[in-house]
Amino acid sequence: MIKTENLKKIYNHDFEAVKQMNLNVGKGDIYGFLGPNGAGKTTTIRMLTGLIEPTEGRVILNGLDVRSEKQEVKKHIGVLPESNGYYEWMTGKEYLLFFSSLYGITKKKRAERTDELLEMVDLQEKANIRIHQYSRGMRQRLGIARTLIHEPRIIFLDEPTLGLDPQGQKDIEKILLHLNKEKGVTIFITSHLLKDIERICIA
Ligand SMILES: Nc1ncnc2c1ncn2[C@@H]1O[C@H](COP(=O)(O)OP(=O)(O)OP(=O)(O)O)[C@@H](O)[C@H]1O
Ligand SMILES: [Mg+2]
């Protein structure tokens, strides 16, 4: 599902952030990408999802070349960036409805899909509260729901459990395991904590 060939990123002509990376992530895998601050996790996710161009090498997602087939690739992937922007004045439900319209989901289906996602990430009771009142854990769960709107086959999550307490981490793990085991979604997740990755990937 995710394949890289000699992927490399050099910033400012002289700083090698990612060296010759060859990854192979299978369908239905949960792949934990571990490394300390500055190791190149975010740089890698940005290259894998086509947000930045690699200096060398290439990325193939679900058989598609990310550089030459960017628009098609977008239909198959969902991405939760390291610092995801939220429209604070919207309620959780409005936020998901808004992104559903961006993805071209028909008006009739938007409400149904939004309710389904809110339930999956356990936010149905907070659906009509504005995001500025959401805790960090609630925001991360809403962010994960947003990545799933168009039913992607692969999702990329950049440190989704960062700053969460043990319960918040467990909530995210539960959602990810459900997605993987029940829906067959391939998951690429980064963290700087071995324990986080271990629990999710070995479950
Ligand atoms: N746009 C950029 N221009 C120049 N250097 C950059 C840029 N983005 C990242 N870097 C450098 O590349 C290296 C890898 O950064 P990156 O953000 O990918 O690491 P990370 O593993 O995600 O770190 P963290 O755990 O802190 O999020 C760092 O040394 C960083 O300073
Ligand atoms: Mg990072």
Side-chain angles (χ1 to χ4, degrees):
M1 276 309 244
I2 309 172
K3 188 166 186 271
T4 71
E5 291 171 2
N6 298 323
L7 200 64
K8 188 193 255 195
K9 183 70 187 178
I10 298 175
Y11 286 119
N12 306 321
H13 306 290
D14 67 351
F15 181 77
E16 201 172 47
V18 175
K19 311 180 182 178
Q20 297 273 324
M21 179 182 290
N22 290 288
L23 277 180
N24 221 328
V25 181
K27 194 173 180 184
D29 283 355
I30 302 185
Y31 192 90
F33 197 63
L34 190 69
N37 294 138
K41 302 181 294 294
T42 298
T43 300
T44 301
I45 280 210
R46 287 181 176 153
M47 288 193 285
L48 293 180
T49 56
L51 282 171
I52 59 170
E53 298 250 320
T55 311
E56 278 177 32
R58 62 183 199 134
V59 181
I60 313 287
L61 294 184
N62 203 12
L64 299 163
D65 186 298
V66 168
R67 184 177 285 180
S68 59
E69 292 172 276
K70 213 177 242 176
Q71 291 312 319
E72 185 60 27
V73 163
K74 277 188 188 163
K75 295 181 192 161
H76 302 272
I77 66 171
V79 189
L80 182 64
E82 191 167 45
S83 25
N84 188 43
Y86 292 95
Y87 303 124
E88 305 274 335
W89 65 92
M90 287 184 181
T91 66
K93 188 169 191 162
E94 286 167 349
Y95 181 78
L96 294 179
L97 284 171
F98 172 67
F99 276 94
S100 305
S101 67
L102 293 186
Y103 277 109
I105 294 173
T106 59
K107 219 169 183 176
K108 225 172 106 192
K109 281 203 178 148
R110 275 179 222 162
E112 195 183 312
R113 182 82 187 125
T114 296
D115 285 343
E116 193 182 297
L117 288 170
L118 285 165
E119 195 184 327
M120 187 190 295
V121 299
D122 200 19
L123 282 175
Q124 24 342 15
E125 282 170 25
K126 308 285 182 185
N128 297 312
I129 291 174
R130 289 183 200 277
I131 298 171
H132 80 86
Q133 291 181 37
Y134 276 27
S135 69
R136 190 174 166 78
M138 288 159 63
R139 280 164 194 251
Q140 290 299 75
R141 299 205 308 275
L142 183 64
I144 291 174
R146 198 261 303 141
T147 70
L148 298 169
I149 285 172
H150 55 306
E151 300 185 70
R153 303 312 305 150
I154 317 173
I155 56 171
F156 294 86
L157 310 167
D158 197 356
E159 304 217 44
T161 57
L162 187 68
L164 301 188
D165 66 18
Q167 186 55 49
Q169 290 178 10
K170 274 196 195 126
D171 294 341
I172 301 269
E173 284 164 25
K174 200 174 141 208
I175 294 165
L176 297 183
L177 289 175
H178 166 79
L179 277 172
N180 180 254
K181 308 268 181 265
E182 309 298 326
K183 315 260 175 191
V185 176
T186 303
I187 302 175
F188 186 95
I189 178 174
T190 73
S191 178
H192 63 278
L193 296 172
L194 176 62
K195 282 250 170 309
D196 268 19
I197 290 287
E198 249 178 4
R199 271 199 310 264
I200 297 176
C201 298
I202 301 173

Short mmCIF file of all heavy atoms in Angstrom, two decimals, residues 96-131:
data_model
loop_
_atom_site.label_atom_id
_atom_site.label_comp_id
_atom_site.label_asym_id
_atom_site.label_seq_id
_atom_site.Cartn_x
_atom_site.Cartn_y
_atom_site.Cartn_z
N LEU A 96 -17.33 18.65 10.40
CA LEU A 96 -17.36 17.45 9.55
C LEU A 96 -18.28 17.63 8.34
O LEU A 96 -17.97 17.19 7.24
CB LEU A 96 -17.79 16.22 10.37
CG LEU A 96 -16.80 15.78 11.45
CD1 LEU A 96 -17.34 14.57 12.20
CD2 LEU A 96 -15.42 15.47 10.87
N LEU A 97 -19.39 18.36 8.55
CA LEU A 97 -20.29 18.62 7.42
C LEU A 97 -19.59 19.48 6.37
O LEU A 97 -19.70 19.25 5.17
CB LEU A 97 -21.57 19.34 7.90
CG LEU A 97 -22.59 18.45 8.60
CD1 LEU A 97 -23.69 19.30 9.24
CD2 LEU A 97 -23.21 17.44 7.63
N PHE A 98 -18.83 20.47 6.87
CA PHE A 98 -18.10 21.37 5.96
C PHE A 98 -17.09 20.57 5.12
O PHE A 98 -17.06 20.70 3.90
CB PHE A 98 -17.39 22.44 6.79
CG PHE A 98 -16.45 23.30 5.98
CD1 PHE A 98 -16.95 24.16 5.01
CD2 PHE A 98 -15.08 23.23 6.18
CE1 PHE A 98 -16.08 24.94 4.25
CE2 PHE A 98 -14.21 24.00 5.42
CZ PHE A 98 -14.71 24.85 4.45
N PHE A 99 -16.30 19.72 5.76
CA PHE A 99 -15.31 18.93 5.01
C PHE A 99 -16.00 17.92 4.08
O PHE A 99 -15.50 17.64 3.00
CB PHE A 99 -14.31 18.25 5.94
CG PHE A 99 -13.19 19.18 6.33
CD1 PHE A 99 -13.26 19.92 7.49
CD2 PHE A 99 -12.10 19.37 5.49
CE1 PHE A 99 -12.25 20.82 7.83
CE2 PHE A 99 -11.09 20.26 5.82
CZ PHE A 99 -11.16 20.98 7.00
N SER A 100 -17.17 17.41 4.49
CA SER A 100 -17.90 16.49 3.61
C SER A 100 -18.27 17.20 2.32
O SER A 100 -18.20 16.62 1.23
CB SER A 100 -19.19 16.01 4.25
OG SER A 100 -18.95 15.45 5.48
N SER A 101 -18.65 18.48 2.43
CA SER A 101 -19.03 19.21 1.21
C SER A 101 -17.78 19.42 0.34
O SER A 101 -17.86 19.33 -0.88
CB SER A 101 -19.71 20.54 1.54
OG SER A 101 -18.79 21.42 2.16
N LEU A 102 -16.63 19.66 0.96
CA LEU A 102 -15.39 19.82 0.17
C LEU A 102 -15.05 18.54 -0.58
O LEU A 102 -14.50 18.59 -1.67
CB LEU A 102 -14.21 20.19 1.07
CG LEU A 102 -14.24 21.55 1.76
CD1 LEU A 102 -12.92 21.79 2.48
CD2 LEU A 102 -14.49 22.67 0.75
N TYR A 103 -15.37 17.41 0.02
CA TYR A 103 -15.06 16.14 -0.63
C TYR A 103 -16.12 15.74 -1.65
O TYR A 103 -16.06 14.66 -2.22
CB TYR A 103 -14.89 15.02 0.42
CG TYR A 103 -13.51 15.01 1.03
CD1 TYR A 103 -13.30 15.40 2.33
CD2 TYR A 103 -12.42 14.58 0.27
CE1 TYR A 103 -12.02 15.39 2.89
CE2 TYR A 103 -11.15 14.56 0.82
CZ TYR A 103 -10.96 14.96 2.12
OH TYR A 103 -9.71 14.94 2.67
N GLY A 104 -17.12 16.60 -1.81
CA GLY A 104 -18.13 16.35 -2.84
C GLY A 104 -19.13 15.27 -2.46
O GLY A 104 -19.75 14.68 -3.34
N ILE A 105 -19.29 15.04 -1.18
CA ILE A 105 -20.30 14.05 -0.75
C ILE A 105 -21.69 14.69 -0.88
O ILE A 105 -21.87 15.85 -0.50
CB ILE A 105 -20.00 13.58 0.69
CG1 ILE A 105 -18.67 12.82 0.68
CG2 ILE A 105 -21.13 12.74 1.26
CD1 ILE A 105 -18.14 12.42 2.00
N THR A 106 -22.62 13.95 -1.42
CA THR A 106 -23.95 14.54 -1.68
C THR A 106 -24.59 14.99 -0.37
O THR A 106 -24.36 14.41 0.70
CB THR A 106 -24.90 13.52 -2.35
OG1 THR A 106 -25.01 12.39 -1.48
CG2 THR A 106 -24.36 13.08 -3.70
N LYS A 107 -25.43 16.02 -0.49
CA LYS A 107 -26.05 16.63 0.68
C LYS A 107 -26.79 15.59 1.52
O LYS A 107 -26.72 15.61 2.75
CB LYS A 107 -27.02 17.71 0.21
CG LYS A 107 -27.00 18.92 1.09
CD LYS A 107 -27.74 20.07 0.47
CE LYS A 107 -27.62 21.27 1.37
NZ LYS A 107 -28.23 22.45 0.78
N LYS A 108 -27.43 14.67 0.82
CA LYS A 108 -28.24 13.65 1.49
C LYS A 108 -27.35 12.76 2.37
O LYS A 108 -27.72 12.40 3.48
CB LYS A 108 -28.91 12.79 0.41
CG LYS A 108 -30.36 12.51 0.69
CD LYS A 108 -30.99 11.82 -0.49
CE LYS A 108 -31.23 10.36 -0.21
NZ LYS A 108 -31.58 9.61 -1.42
N LYS A 109 -26.16 12.44 1.85
CA LYS A 109 -25.28 11.52 2.57
C LYS A 109 -24.45 12.19 3.66
O LYS A 109 -23.94 11.52 4.55
CB LYS A 109 -24.33 10.85 1.56
CG LYS A 109 -24.97 9.73 0.80
CD LYS A 109 -23.92 8.77 0.28
CE LYS A 109 -24.56 7.61 -0.45
NZ LYS A 109 -23.71 7.13 -1.54
N ARG A 110 -24.27 13.53 3.54
CA ARG A 110 -23.37 14.23 4.48
C ARG A 110 -23.76 14.03 5.95
O ARG A 110 -22.93 13.71 6.78
CB ARG A 110 -23.38 15.74 4.18
CG ARG A 110 -22.42 16.13 3.11
CD ARG A 110 -22.50 17.61 2.85
NE ARG A 110 -22.44 17.85 1.42
CZ ARG A 110 -22.82 18.96 0.81
NH1 ARG A 110 -23.31 19.98 1.52
NH2 ARG A 110 -22.72 19.08 -0.47
N ALA A 111 -25.07 14.22 6.23
CA ALA A 111 -25.53 14.13 7.61
C ALA A 111 -25.33 12.72 8.16
O ALA A 111 -24.84 12.53 9.29
CB ALA A 111 -26.99 14.52 7.69
N GLU A 112 -25.63 11.75 7.32
CA GLU A 112 -25.52 10.35 7.72
C GLU A 112 -24.05 10.00 8.03
O GLU A 112 -23.74 9.40 9.06
CB GLU A 112 -26.01 9.51 6.53
CG GLU A 112 -26.31 8.08 6.82
CD GLU A 112 -26.70 7.36 5.53
OE1 GLU A 112 -27.55 7.89 4.79
OE2 GLU A 112 -26.10 6.32 5.27
N ARG A 113 -23.16 10.40 7.11
CA ARG A 113 -21.73 10.11 7.26
C ARG A 113 -21.17 10.81 8.51
O ARG A 113 -20.39 10.24 9.27
CB ARG A 113 -21.00 10.58 5.98
CG ARG A 113 -19.53 10.30 5.97
CD ARG A 113 -19.24 8.87 5.54
NE ARG A 113 -17.82 8.56 5.68
CZ ARG A 113 -17.37 7.53 6.39
NH1 ARG A 113 -18.18 6.72 7.02
NH2 ARG A 113 -16.07 7.30 6.48
N THR A 114 -21.58 12.07 8.70
CA THR A 114 -21.11 12.84 9.86
C THR A 114 -21.54 12.18 11.17
O THR A 114 -20.73 12.02 12.08
CB THR A 114 -21.66 14.29 9.76
OG1 THR A 114 -21.10 14.89 8.60
CG2 THR A 114 -21.31 15.11 10.97
N ASP A 115 -22.81 11.75 11.23
CA ASP A 115 -23.28 11.10 12.47
C ASP A 115 -22.53 9.81 12.74
O ASP A 115 -22.16 9.51 13.87
CB ASP A 115 -24.79 10.79 12.36
CG ASP A 115 -25.62 12.06 12.50
OD1 ASP A 115 -25.07 13.07 12.98
OD2 ASP A 115 -26.80 12.05 12.10
N GLU A 116 -22.28 9.06 11.68
CA GLU A 116 -21.55 7.79 11.79
C GLU A 116 -20.14 8.03 12.33
O GLU A 116 -19.67 7.33 13.23
CB GLU A 116 -21.49 7.23 10.37
CG GLU A 116 -21.08 5.82 10.17
CD GLU A 116 -21.05 5.54 8.66
OE1 GLU A 116 -22.10 5.61 8.00
OE2 GLU A 116 -19.94 5.29 8.13
N LEU A 117 -19.48 9.07 11.81
CA LEU A 117 -18.11 9.36 12.24
C LEU A 117 -18.08 9.89 13.67
O LEU A 117 -17.20 9.52 14.46
CB LEU A 117 -17.46 10.38 11.29
CG LEU A 117 -17.10 9.82 9.91
CD1 LEU A 117 -16.68 10.93 8.97
CD2 LEU A 117 -15.97 8.79 10.02
N LEU A 118 -19.04 10.75 14.00
CA LEU A 118 -19.08 11.28 15.37
C LEU A 118 -19.24 10.14 16.37
O LEU A 118 -18.63 10.14 17.44
CB LEU A 118 -20.22 12.29 15.52
CG LEU A 118 -19.97 13.66 14.88
CD1 LEU A 118 -21.27 14.45 14.76
CD2 LEU A 118 -18.93 14.46 15.67
N GLU A 119 -20.03 9.16 15.99
CA GLU A 119 -20.23 8.02 16.87
C GLU A 119 -18.94 7.19 16.97
O GLU A 119 -18.53 6.78 18.06
CB GLU A 119 -21.38 7.16 16.34
CG GLU A 119 -21.85 6.19 17.39
CD GLU A 119 -22.91 5.24 16.87
OE1 GLU A 119 -23.70 5.64 16.01
OE2 GLU A 119 -22.89 4.09 17.35
N MET A 120 -18.27 7.01 15.83
CA MET A 120 -17.05 6.20 15.83
C MET A 120 -15.98 6.79 16.75
O MET A 120 -15.24 6.06 17.40
CB MET A 120 -16.51 6.09 14.40
CG MET A 120 -15.33 5.14 14.29
SD MET A 120 -14.50 5.21 12.71
CE MET A 120 -15.76 4.63 11.62
N VAL A 121 -15.90 8.13 16.80
CA VAL A 121 -14.86 8.74 17.64
C VAL A 121 -15.44 9.22 18.99
O VAL A 121 -14.80 9.99 19.72
CB VAL A 121 -14.14 9.90 16.90
CG1 VAL A 121 -13.45 9.40 15.66
CG2 VAL A 121 -15.09 11.05 16.57
N ASP A 122 -16.64 8.74 19.29
CA ASP A 122 -17.29 9.01 20.57
C ASP A 122 -17.44 10.50 20.87
O ASP A 122 -17.12 10.97 21.96
CB ASP A 122 -16.50 8.31 21.70
CG ASP A 122 -17.35 8.12 22.93
OD1 ASP A 122 -18.59 8.18 22.82
OD2 ASP A 122 -16.77 7.93 24.02
N LEU A 123 -17.93 11.23 19.89
CA LEU A 123 -18.16 12.67 20.11
C LEU A 123 -19.63 13.04 19.90
O LEU A 123 -19.95 14.22 19.78
CB LEU A 123 -17.29 13.50 19.15
CG LEU A 123 -15.80 13.67 19.50
CD1 LEU A 123 -15.08 14.42 18.39
CD2 LEU A 123 -15.60 14.41 20.82
N GLN A 124 -20.51 12.01 19.84
CA GLN A 124 -21.89 12.37 19.54
C GLN A 124 -22.47 13.35 20.56
O GLN A 124 -23.20 14.26 20.19
CB GLN A 124 -22.85 11.21 19.34
CG GLN A 124 -22.81 9.84 19.82
CD GLN A 124 -21.68 9.08 20.33
OE1 GLN A 124 -20.61 9.57 20.69
NE2 GLN A 124 -21.95 7.81 20.44
N GLU A 125 -22.07 13.20 21.84
CA GLU A 125 -22.63 14.09 22.86
C GLU A 125 -22.06 15.50 22.79
O GLU A 125 -22.59 16.43 23.38
CB GLU A 125 -22.39 13.49 24.25
CG GLU A 125 -23.40 12.40 24.53
CD GLU A 125 -23.08 11.60 25.76
OE1 GLU A 125 -22.39 12.15 26.66
OE2 GLU A 125 -23.51 10.44 25.82
N LYS A 126 -20.93 15.65 22.10
CA LYS A 126 -20.30 16.98 21.99
C LYS A 126 -20.48 17.56 20.59
O LYS A 126 -19.86 18.57 20.25
CB LYS A 126 -18.79 16.86 22.28
CG LYS A 126 -18.46 16.15 23.58
CD LYS A 126 -18.73 17.04 24.76
CE LYS A 126 -18.34 16.31 26.05
NZ LYS A 126 -18.69 17.09 27.23
N ALA A 127 -21.30 16.91 19.79
CA ALA A 127 -21.44 17.27 18.38
C ALA A 127 -21.84 18.72 18.16
O ALA A 127 -21.41 19.37 17.21
CB ALA A 127 -22.46 16.36 17.71
N ASN A 128 -22.66 19.27 19.09
CA ASN A 128 -23.18 20.62 18.87
C ASN A 128 -22.50 21.67 19.74
O ASN A 128 -23.02 22.76 19.93
CB ASN A 128 -24.70 20.61 19.07
CG ASN A 128 -25.36 19.72 18.03
OD1 ASN A 128 -25.06 19.83 16.83
ND2 ASN A 128 -26.21 18.80 18.46
N ILE A 129 -21.33 21.32 20.25
CA ILE A 129 -20.54 22.27 21.03
C ILE A 129 -19.44 22.82 20.14
O ILE A 129 -18.89 22.11 19.30
CB ILE A 129 -19.94 21.55 22.27
CG1 ILE A 129 -21.06 21.20 23.23
CG2 ILE A 129 -18.89 22.42 22.97
CD1 ILE A 129 -20.63 20.37 24.42
N ARG A 130 -19.11 24.10 20.30
CA ARG A 130 -18.07 24.70 19.44
C ARG A 130 -16.69 24.13 19.77
O ARG A 130 -16.38 23.84 20.92
CB ARG A 130 -18.04 26.23 19.62
CG ARG A 130 -19.23 26.90 19.02
CD ARG A 130 -19.12 28.40 19.17
NE ARG A 130 -20.42 29.02 19.04
CZ ARG A 130 -20.98 29.31 17.87
NH1 ARG A 130 -20.33 29.08 16.76
NH2 ARG A 130 -22.17 29.86 17.82
N ILE A 131 -15.87 24.03 18.72
CA ILE A 131 -14.56 23.38 18.88
C ILE A 131 -13.68 24.11 19.91
O ILE A 131 -12.87 23.50 20.58
CB ILE A 131 -13.86 23.23 17.52
CG1 ILE A 131 -14.70 22.35 16.60
CG2 ILE A 131 -12.45 22.65 17.65
CD1 ILE A 131 -14.25 22.29 15.14
#
